[in-house]
Amino acid sequence: MHNNAKRRGLSFLLILAMLFVSVAVMLPVATSADPVEFADFGVQKLAALNLAGDEDTDLRFVFTVGSLDYTEVGFVFSKTNAAPTVGGDACYKMPVTVVHTQIVADGNTLTADPGRYWVAVKMTDIPHSYFDGALYVRPFVTDGLGTRYADAALTSVCDAAGHVHTIDEFEHERTGGTAALDVAGTIVGNCPGCNLEVTFNDVKAGVEYQKWIGGGGQARMYDRRQISDILAGGKHFYPDASNGGLGNDLVVEYSILWNETLLNLSADYNDGARLLTTFDTTNGGFSGEYRAIAYASLTNNVKDSGANFAGAFEYPSGLIQTSEPGDPHPGMTAGGGAYSDYANVGGTDRDHPEWGWHRIGVIYHEDVTNLNAVKGGAAATYKLTVSIYIDGVLVSILSGDHLDRGNADYKLFTATCDGNGGVTYEDIDEDIWVFAFLVHYVTAPTADAWFADGDVFVTAGHDFVHPVTRIANPAARTETVGGQDFNGAFYYTSAGAHDHVWGSLVNDASHAADCGHAATQSIHCTICGAVKPDSTVNLPIDPSLHNWGVTPVRIQEPTLLEDGIDRYTCTVCSATDDRAVSYEHSVQIFTTSTSGAYSPNGATVGSIRGSKHFYDEGNDLMVEFSILWNESLTHLRDDNSDNYKPYMDSRFATNAAGTSGNNNIVYWSLTGNIKGSDCKFPGGFEWGGIAGDPGDNPYPRFAGAYNDITAYPNLGGYNNGDGTAQVNDLYGWHRVSIRYHEEVTNVAAVKSGSAASYLNEMWVYIDGDLVLHTAETKAISKQLFTATGGGGSITYTENDSYYFHGAFLNSTRMKTGTGYFEIADYSATIGSDFVQNVRRVNNPTPTTLEVENGVFIPSTMWYELDN
Amino acid sequence: MEKKIYESAEIKIVLLNRDMLITSGGSLGENEWDEFNFNQLG
Ligand SMILES: [Zn+2]
Ligand SMILES: [Zn+2]
Ligand SMILES: [Zn+2]
Ligand SMILES: [Zn+2]
């Protein structure tokens, strides 16, 4: 039964998208005939449910019982009681006495498990307004023992639909809440998915932005409301009992991220770099009969505008009738000179703009100035007043008797005589749009510009939804808008009245004082960011505090003998700091199963020679590297088969890997007794690569080099293959230097048309001592260059595309044990000098290198620089 | 009239009236569900 119920519940979930966990409650009722009284408890929405559009809907509720031995089964519901019971407070019982082996639920046919029966009811006509309302639901069974319940579940139509509320953080139509841009709180607004008003807690208001592309244009930015929305809930602008006879003002408030990119906007008045609070008959802004009540300039020196600098507010020229339009407009009644001398959002000091978040408030107030006369039948006269706030500070009051221009007169209300000694008021047409702000068509900014706003409200009342207090010296803050970072300091707080809570001393700017910047530190209020009086500490430029970049430039590579140099550069003052960087070992480990391969710095002949020529006298191929000779290498496989090649070589090849068309110029053995090789002891060098003439052993041209092991301190110093120990057991670092020379020996003949003959000559040095010198007039198959001629001239063709690998190890592996192998300080250059001019050290201080945990190999330096 | 008796060590219940027990109605069609109006929740 238990297993059946489980499986049943699962399939049911799949079919009906059940939201409740299917429960199989084993109640401690030993006498019940039903060991699993509740199972398959679920709710089902209508498949066709449209959360946003349906006026009402139904929900089905089901569970199964495993017996018919009940007098009644069913559900109890409550909107408010979290644990509904039969007869409980605010509970509704929906009983059934007929249960079913099979049900058809919104088109799905569901068969109960054998021995179980569906208890099925349908709640109808749940209104849209309650789609997110709580429904506590509880299955019950009643028999002679009494009534028992499954655990109550909480659902709603939204839940049953699997709907998660969202709110567009840029949704300016949100209805309220306390969340602001600067203070987390609640946001109340309409969820677009269900059209219900929902509340989100602990969130901040969102930022909306518009980016104008430099050189482009014709994009607008606005936030608009219709009068019908502003007056929703039976409000009126005109005085009546609903507002205590005081009437209501039109209250507009929004935040703007004032930033330097706005100065990229065109200064031409007609290019729209103005920020307007305006009315319009259409939602297009400026497309119907528009009338602005406040202007602010977004950029400097707006042409034809009284707003001469960024952030300045201007009397909306021509909109409030005055007799003396001028500049500055005399219609500004407060403070005289208000427009040019107040804290504009761009900054009171125009050389030091206060980039960051500022809050603009506009209150549009209306009075009837001749009310008694109106009662007597006279036409009303009006006084319209616009009060403009920045960061909570009243910066401008504009007033006049009516909005001018055109046929639209956007008074908040009108007053006429009612014919009985009273007044009839009428609100502004509810279809009119109010643009909290509108940036008209902006054209051709000189560079990209961002406009960011947030926290917008347009209401009917007397107070701002988010009244704010100015902060003179706010904490530094970065706002990222559209991928761009801006100074996002809040020059206001909406935290409301509070006792400041002082934090610790912090940097005011994003950086502390350093080699290029003085700085200040101060103590800020942790609630609103205000600076504690007298807390500011001035930090002068400190030449010792540099900002070193994280990525140094490698000035000199480290070698086994000398540290390298990494140069760090101060990002502020460009001072440099050279730091030693030591050589990093990279030891390869071979095993009996792991082949090792090594091919460092394979480079083309062309890249090695650069602009020089190998056919010029004195320019040879100079190859050099260091090898960590150690006893473990003598345990490499010593059979020179295709699979195991325990020798290294210097070779030309036609591919970067060094494996195709290769032609060796010298071999050297890593182990002893290489089968088929003349390198009979580790470290022995053998001329390689001569085409043909392989027969002599030893090669006569070796001049005794290879078999006189006492005369030539080879790298291995191990044995000569017959068990005789070599005298030079010189494990440690050795320096191999190879000079490879090529020349045409019959230049005159070539110039007369003969084929060229070549001399290849090679010198091999170990630790600065010459150990092998060969010369061969028979060409190897890969050459640095070839020569052709005739008619008195000779032409050299350099084989620039050949790759040269000076220290090439093909696949090899250990015959026994583990091998350690490292090549260091490799270079292949053109010229006549080695990069490292070294000399032998006869009695070096023994050193070791740890290559694995606890495994040390001798790393004694057998050479030193010979400078 | 049918009687059914369940027993346990602790309690003995006699369901006297079989007619009052729930019954199986077989299959329930789409439009045959017992309905109640949301407004009945008060
Ligand atoms: Zn079980
Ligand atoms: Zn929703
Ligand atoms: Zn504070
Ligand atoms: Zn510096």
Side-chain angles (χ1 to χ4, degrees):
Chain A
M1 175 65 75
H2 177 82
N3 289 336
N4 277 346
K6 279 282 192 190
R7 193 181 67 238
R8 195 76 175 93
L10 183 59
S11 63
F12 194 82
L13 275 165
L14 291 172
I15 294 166
L16 276 193
M18 306 284 294
L19 292 182
F20 297 160
V21 175
S22 180
V23 288
V25 181
M26 186 80 79
L27 291 170
V29 182
T31 53
S32 170
D34 187 355
V36 181
E37 297 192 310
F38 304 97
D40 307 323
F41 176 21
V43 61
Q44 184 198 29
K45 71 176 180 67
L46 298 185
L49 172 64
N50 178 344
L51 272 180
D54 285 350
E55 288 182 9
D56 56 44
T57 193
D58 303 341
L59 287 179
R60 286 184 159 97
F61 295 89
V62 295
F63 72 100
T64 61
V65 291
S67 168
L68 296 175
D69 292 329
Y70 298 110
T71 54
E72 193 173 71
V73 295
F75 295 87
V76 277
F77 295 90
S78 180
K79 291 159 136 183
T80 54
N81 188 332
T85 54
V86 174
D89 276 352
C91 294
Y92 176 76
K93 179 175 92 168
M94 181 60 191
V96 300
T97 56
V98 180
V99 294
H100 302 273
T101 52
Q102 177 177 293
I103 56 176
V104 181
D106 211 35
N108 299 305
T109 299
L110 298 161
T111 303
D113 268 359
R116 296 199 69 82
Y117 304 91
W118 290 112
V119 180
V121 302
K122 184 173 168 185
M123 182 187 291
T124 65
D125 302 307
I126 306 164
H128 186 274
S129 62
Y130 205 76
F131 278 7
D132 194 39
L135 292 170
Y136 296 99
V137 193
R138 210 174 194 194
F140 74 90
V141 294
T142 300
D143 60 16
L145 293 170
T147 296
R148 294 177 297 282
Y149 303 91
D151 288 344
L154 171 64
T155 190
S156 68
V157 174
C158 282
D159 283 347
H163 170 70
V164 177
H165 295 304
T166 57
I167 189 167
D168 183 349
E169 63 176 344
F170 306 139
E171 177 50 71
H172 290 153
E173 306 301 329
R174 62 189 171 89
T175 52
T178 58
L181 278 171
D182 63 321
V183 178
T186 61
I187 284 181
V188 183
N190 278 41
C191 169
C194 66
N195 269 344
L196 289 169
E197 187 176 272
V198 294
T199 300
F200 288 81
N201 294 310
D202 295 323
V203 293
K204 286 186 177 178
V207 175
E208 188 174 41
Y209 74 94
Q210 164 81 48
K211 177 186 175 185
W212 289 291
I213 308 295
Q218 292 295 305
R220 288 185 287 181
M221 193 71 187
Y222 55 76
D223 190 295
R224 65 191 179 209
R225 310 296 148 88
Q226 234 166 342
I227 294 293
S228 54
D229 289 333
I230 299 167
L231 291 180
K235 286 185 172 179
H236 296 289
F237 286 119
Y238 59 73
D240 76 348
S242 73
N243 50 47
L246 297 173
N248 276 314
D249 300 331
L250 178 66
V251 180
V252 173
E253 57 201 294
Y254 61 92
S255 298
I256 176 173
L257 181 60
W258 208 264
N259 68 86
E260 202 160 3
T261 68
L262 293 171
L263 302 183
N264 296 330
L265 299 181
S266 168
D268 192 313
Y269 184 86
N270 294 314
D271 284 338
R274 296 156 290 154
L275 187 64
L276 296 88
T277 300
T278 184
F279 293 99
D280 203 313
T281 50
T282 75
N283 66 3
F286 277 3
S287 57
E289 295 292 340
Y290 70 90
R291 297 294 174 264
I293 60 175
Y295 277 112
S297 62
L298 281 173
T299 187
N300 285 320
N301 302 315
V302 177
K303 185 178 158 190
D304 294 332
S305 163
N308 283 343
F309 47 91
F313 274 84
E314 176 193 14
Y315 185 77
S317 175
L319 301 182
I320 292 178
Q321 181 63 47
T322 66
S323 57
E324 294 180 68
D327 191 5
H329 208 289
M332 297 180 181
T333 57
Y339 100 62
S340 59
D341 187 19
Y342 56 73
N344 59 78
V345 288
T348 48
D349 175 355
R350 291 172 224 174
D351 294 327
H352 187 235
E354 293 164 316
W355 307 129
W357 283 106
H358 291 276
R359 188 142 182 92
I360 309 298
V362 178
I363 294 181
Y364 184 42
H365 173 83
E366 179 174 327
D367 292 305
V368 178
T369 58
N370 62 341
L371 200 53
N372 285 334
V374 172
K375 289 171 181 173
T381 56
Y382 301 91
K383 182 183 182 189
L384 309 172
T385 306
V386 178
S387 302
I388 298 174
Y389 295 77
I390 300 178
D391 300 332
V393 177
L394 179 62
V395 295
S396 182
I397 298 174
L398 316 171
S399 65
D401 61 4
H402 67 283
L403 294 179
D404 197 15
R405 283 174 62 175
N407 55 14
D409 186 7
Y410 292 113
K411 294 184 173 58
L412 295 174
F413 59 88
T414 56
T416 54
C417 175
D418 68 359
N420 294 310
V423 179
T424 298
Y425 290 109
E426 187 172 355
D427 281 325
I428 184 173
D429 188 328
E430 67 174 13
D431 292 334
I432 299 297
W433 293 85
V434 176
F435 287 72
F437 61 83
L438 167 66
V439 182
H440 195 212
Y441 295 111
V442 165
T443 54
T446 56
D448 292 352
W450 282 259
F451 180 95
D453 70 276
D455 230 348
V456 184
F457 292 92
V458 182
T459 52
H462 300 279
D463 301 307
F464 293 115
V465 175
H466 287 171
V468 300
T469 307
R470 184 178 185 186
I471 298 175
N473 188 8
R477 183 180 169 281
T478 298
E479 184 79 76
T480 303
V481 173
Q484 186 79 6
D485 286 345
F486 296 99
N487 177 358
F490 279 102
Y491 282 88
Y492 67 86
T493 176
S494 61
H498 64 276
D499 291 331
H500 291 308
V501 176
W502 302 120
S504 54
L505 196 63
V506 295
N507 293 329
D508 289 330
S510 56
H511 57 81
D514 58 28
C515 57
H517 304 97
T520 59
Q521 292 181 318
S522 56
I523 293 172
H524 297 256
C525 172
T526 58
I527 296 173
C528 72
V531 175
K532 184 179 183 180
D534 301 324
S535 71
T536 299
V537 177
N538 290 307
L539 302 173
I541 288 178
D542 185 339
S544 70
L545 293 176
H546 296 287
N547 293 285
W548 302 119
V550 292
T551 308
V553 175
R554 179 65 57 86
I555 299 298
Q556 183 178 314
E557 289 294 334
T559 70
L560 289 169
L561 298 176
E562 291 184 316
D563 283 346
I565 299 171
D566 275 354
R567 174 163 294 171
Y568 291 78
T569 302
C570 176
T571 58
V572 175
C573 73
S574 299
T576 57
D577 182 25
D578 289 345
R579 302 181 195 173
V581 51
S582 55
Y583 179 86
E584 273 191 41
H585 287 278
S586 177
V587 176
Q588 290 194 54
I589 298 178
F590 300 172
T591 69
T592 53
S593 59
T594 305
S595 295
Y598 187 72
S599 177
N601 303 315
T604 60
V605 169
S607 68
I608 292 171
R609 74 173 181 84
S611 60
K612 296 181 179 176
H613 302 287
F614 284 112
Y615 54 79
D616 283 346
E617 190 57 36
N619 277 343
D620 294 334
L621 177 60
M622 311 297 285
V623 185
E624 52 197 302
F625 53 87
S626 300
I627 181 167
L628 182 58
W629 208 265
N630 65 90
E631 189 171 8
S632 74
L633 296 175
T634 66
H635 304 300
L636 289 167
R637 300 287 298 226
D638 61 3
D639 49 334
N640 179 16
S641 69
D642 285 345
N643 292 329
Y644 310 111
K645 295 173 178 171
Y647 56 83
M648 295 192 71
D649 58 61
S650 300
R651 60 169 61 182
F652 293 99
T654 54
N655 68 335
T659 52
S660 292
N662 50 299
N663 197 169
N664 314 62
I665 62 171
V666 63
Y667 289 107
W668 30 292
S669 62
L670 287 168
T671 185
N673 302 315
I674 297 176
K675 185 176 160 189
S677 163
D678 292 325
C679 294
K680 295 200 166 170
F681 45 88
F685 276 81
E686 175 187 10
W687 171 251
I690 300 296
D693 192 20
D696 294 333
N697 185 5
Y699 279 98
R701 52 194 163 275
F702 277 14
Y706 105 174
N707 60 356
D708 187 350
I709 57 177
T710 57
Y712 296 93
N714 60 75
L715 298 173
Y718 181 53
N719 63 48
N720 65 358
D722 61 4
T724 306
Q726 288 185 227
V727 296
N728 299 301
D729 190 8
L730 303 171
Y731 292 131
W733 284 105
H734 292 277
R735 186 81 180 155
V736 177
S737 311
I738 303 167
R739 179 171 184 167
Y740 182 68
H741 170 80
E742 177 182 337
E743 70 177 80
V744 176
T745 57
N746 59 340
V747 171
V750 172
K751 287 180 177 176
S752 301
S754 299
S757 61
Y758 302 91
L759 170 68
N760 295 113
E761 188 168 8
M762 178 175 67
W763 298 262
V764 178
Y765 302 82
I766 297 178
D767 301 331
D769 292 342
L770 179 66
V771 298
L772 177 63
H773 177 203
T774 66
E776 173 61 64
T777 54
K778 201 163 188 176
I780 61 171
S781 64
K782 298 286 182 300
Q783 293 169 274
L784 293 167
F785 60 86
T786 56
T788 55
S793 68
I794 186 167
T795 301
Y796 296 101
T797 303
E798 288 167 299
N799 291 316
D800 283 345
S801 63
Y802 288 172
Y803 286 86
F804 179 72
H805 299 262
F808 186 91
L809 170 65
N810 210 344
S811 173
T812 189
R813 65 175 65 174
M814 303 308 291
K815 186 177 188 178
T816 178
T818 303
Y820 304 101
F821 174 80
E822 184 177 358
I823 295 280
D825 297 349
Y826 172 93
S827 71
T829 55
I830 182 172
S832 57
D833 295 313
F834 292 110
V835 174
Q836 286 187 25
N837 188 26
V838 302
R839 66 177 169 228
R840 184 177 182 180
V841 175
N842 283 314
N843 293 296
T845 303
T847 56
T848 58
L849 172 69
E850 185 175 15
V851 291
E852 285 185 304
N853 292 338
V855 176
F856 290 86
I857 58 175
S859 61
T860 305
M861 294 299 305
W862 285 97
Y863 65 93
E864 63 188 5
L865 291 177
D866 182 23
N867 290 330
Chain B
M1 181 80 68
E2 184 179 339
K3 293 182 182 176
K4 195 158 189 173
I5 298 174
Y6 297 99
E7 292 187 30
S8 78
E10 296 168 358
I11 193 165
K12 192 178 284 187
I13 296 295
V14 180
L15 300 177
L16 292 173
N17 190 348
R18 185 71 178 107
D19 294 338
M20 290 184 64
L21 297 181
I22 63 174
T23 57
S24 172
S27 184
L28 178 68
E30 180 80 58
N31 299 313
E32 298 169 346
W33 287 52
D34 286 342
E35 293 185 355
F36 66 105
N37 192 290
F38 167 80
N39 292 326
Q40 292 175 256
L41 269 57

